[in-house]
Amino acid sequence: MHTTTEERIIRPARNIMGSLRLPGDKSISHRYAMLGGFAEGTSRFTNFSTGADCASTLACMKALGAQVRTLAEGVVEVTGVGGRATQPSQPLDCGNSGSTMRMMSGLLAAQQGSFTLVGDASLSRRPMERIRKPLEAMGARLTLTEGHAPIHIKGGALKPIDFTTPVPSAQVKTCVLLAGLQTAGETTVRETVRTRDHGELALRAFGAKITRTLSSVSIGGPQTLAAIDAAVPGDISSAAFFFCAAALFPGSGLVLDSLGLNPTRATLLDVLTALGAHISVLHLEEKHAELVGTVQVAGPAEGLGSTSISGALAAQLIDELPVLAAIAPYTQGGIRIRDAKELRVKESDRIALVAKNLRAMGAEIEEFDDGLDVPGGQTMHGATIDSGGDHRIAMAFSVAALRAEGETLIQGAESAAISFPEFFDLLDLVAER
């Protein structure tokens, strides 16, 4: 367990200017690591995520028999097990990564043997019942502890299912598809709200045949996967913090290169445009079915307006909602967030922590069970921020601090390394003071 905590002082900025290339997308890196570790042959990934979560996925695949070699910063080679995992002698440690635990469960449910997945204290509080139900419907045997990790899986031959996800979740969808990949017959996952499709695109990149409609995805099994060489696009969830920072300053100019612009992830650009930010896509191409491009962001002269986020939009923006709420006091008309109850069962209760920290900075805010109302036209002052050990809270309030009056102290700043170890260095690079 980590016992040391790190504090960071964020000073106000005059402007945001510069050009950045961000580390690889976390969601794609997780899936490439799993599929590369499961495939036949050796895959090579460049710009692989530098976050601790994706390192947990690589370590789990290594424990299951894959060979993992880190050749340089962000360059990883993975030699797969050819569809047959080795039963490890120790529990698989997923660290803080819900993505690792939920998706890995689908991969292992169809394997012969017994597997135990464990995580840190934060991950052990997160809901896992949502993967147990579909996997047990397929015939797997899973044991949870009051709906949480540790997860004990007795793997074996499964049967296909037609499953509708009760909670919008790309992790649950990928979990079921990974089980379906190894199951005779056709497995279908249906969604009422479309979630990220990195799992489907990655499976296709590794050679799997998949059928998609607007509201469902089906995979026939069993199928074998073949190794690939791929560059992971820059992480748009990490970019969100820089987009929002640039949007706060009239006349700012920020360029982000080689950024993942998957339509199921790029909703933030639409929201910032609706708020009045000037956003241009300077270049766009397709790599392994993922869209990759260069994006330029500038803050509007008149400042940001207002917006309301609910329904399907809230599900698509779930990772970006904390930073949008953190900058909402600086908008003219505020930001209203609803249908985001999922934020309460992330690495922390993100609704409660956003409300607590905005109040610490002097903002008025109204908290609801499933969201927040943050009025605009407010002035905030520096304060001591409680990150709750949550990487997105630490980064969101570092952005809010750039426009505050006085210095802000971020407690638990080391949590940023979960997804984005370079965050504070890159923020200093583009923040003019």
Side-chain angles (χ1 to χ4, degrees):
M1 293 294 294
H2 296 292
T3 53
T4 57
T5 60
E6 182 186 324
E7 295 181 340
R8 285 272 186 158
I9 290 175
I10 308 293
R11 292 180 293 117
R14 288 185 296 108
N15 205 356
I16 300 291
M17 294 288 284
S19 176
L20 296 174
R21 181 172 290 201
L22 299 184
D25 185 279
K26 200 166 74 129
S27 296
I28 297 173
S29 295
H30 277 303
R31 288 160 173 83
Y32 281 6
M34 282 184 208
L35 297 181
F38 197 64
E40 295 177 347
T42 300
S43 295
R44 187 174 189 271
F45 310 123
T46 55
N47 200 39
F48 190 86
S49 170
T50 51
D53 277 1
C54 293
S56 294
T57 295
L58 286 173
C60 287
M61 294 312 299
K62 192 172 182 179
L64 292 167
Q67 296 175 36
V68 177
R69 291 173 294 281
T70 301
L71 305 181
E73 178 88 357
V75 182
V76 179
E77 274 189 1
V78 181
T79 302
V81 298
R84 184 162 299 183
T86 303
Q87 181 174 305
S89 56
Q90 302 288 327
L92 295 166
D93 186 358
C94 302
N96 187 247
S97 176
S99 296
T100 305
M101 183 169 280
R102 291 185 180 124
M103 296 191 291
M104 192 76 69
S105 296
L107 197 68
L108 296 175
Q111 291 288 302
Q112 294 296 328
S114 298
F115 307 91
T116 300
L117 292 87
V118 298
D120 67 9
S122 167
L123 180 55
S124 299
R125 292 191 297 268
R126 296 179 68 184
M128 294 295 153
E129 193 68 30
R130 57 187 60 176
I131 59 164
R132 185 184 67 80
K133 286 181 178 175
L135 292 178
E136 285 195 340
M138 296 180 81
R141 283 173 285 169
L142 274 75
T143 308
L144 304 180
T145 306
E146 296 179 354
H148 304 282
I151 301 177
H152 302 285
I153 299 172
K154 179 70 175 168
L158 303 179
K159 61 177 186 286
I161 58 169
D162 190 313
F163 177 69
T164 300
T165 55
V167 177
S169 171
Q171 294 173 6
V172 173
K173 176 172 61 172
T174 300
C175 164
V176 177
L177 291 175
L178 290 177
L181 172 76
Q182 306 167 68
T183 301
E186 186 172 77
T187 294
T188 298
V189 181
R190 301 183 191 278
E191 300 182 299
T192 53
V193 174
R194 191 180 180 202
T195 60
R196 302 174 180 188
D197 62 0
H198 299 303
E200 300 95 292
L201 297 183
L203 279 161
R204 197 171 275 171
F206 279 84
K209 290 183 172 61
I210 278 190
T211 307
R212 294 207 292 178
T213 70
L214 280 175
S215 60
S216 72
V217 55
S218 300
I219 188 166
Q223 298 187 53
T224 55
L225 303 178
I228 64 169
D229 283 5
V232 181
D235 193 313
I236 195 165
S237 291
S238 297
F241 301 101
F242 294 94
F243 285 148
C244 288
L248 286 180
F249 293 90
S252 61
L254 182 68
V255 174
L256 297 180
D257 193 24
S258 299
L259 191 64
L261 293 175
N262 181 307
T264 63
R265 293 283 298 285
T267 310
L268 177 69
L269 300 183
D270 299 329
V271 171
L272 288 175
T273 300
L275 281 165
H278 304 302
I279 295 177
S280 307
V281 178
L282 307 180
H283 174 73
L284 194 63
E285 61 182 317
E286 190 177 300
K287 294 182 178 178
H288 293 285
E290 292 281 1
L291 288 177
V292 185
T294 300
V295 180
Q296 185 176 44
V297 188
E302 66 280 9
L304 297 173
S306 66
T307 194
S308 182
I309 299 166
S310 62
L313 194 59
Q316 289 166 350
L317 282 169
I318 202 73
D319 284 340
E320 290 78 32
L321 290 176
V323 69
L324 284 168
I327 67 165
Y330 301 124
T331 65
Q332 292 172 18
I335 296 178
R336 177 182 182 273
I337 296 169
R338 290 291 186 282
D339 304 320
K341 200 171 183 179
E342 185 73 4
L343 284 176
R344 293 205 181 269
V345 292
K346 290 288 188 177
E347 285 85 332
S348 68
D349 181 339
R350 286 178 176 165
I351 292 175
L353 272 180
V354 166
K356 175 185 177 180
N357 289 317
L358 281 175
R359 289 181 182 126
M361 296 181 78
E364 289 183 14
I365 178 171
E366 197 172 355
E367 180 181 344
F368 298 88
D369 189 41
D370 66 341
L372 301 158
D373 279 357
V374 189
Q378 304 191 62
T379 301
M380 294 206 289
H381 55 72
T384 297
I385 297 299
D386 174 14
S387 73
D390 189 321
H391 54 129
R392 296 205 190 277
I393 299 295
M395 293 187 283
F397 281 89
S398 298
V399 172
L402 298 174
R403 276 279 304 268
E405 295 177 351
E407 294 181 342
T408 297
L409 180 72
I410 309 287
Q411 293 181 326
E414 77 287 345
S415 60
I418 291 292
S419 62
F420 196 176
E422 306 85 349
F423 172 74
F424 290 106
D425 291 340
L426 294 180
L427 193 64
D428 280 341
L429 205 60
V430 295
E432 294 184 344
R433 292 187 165 98

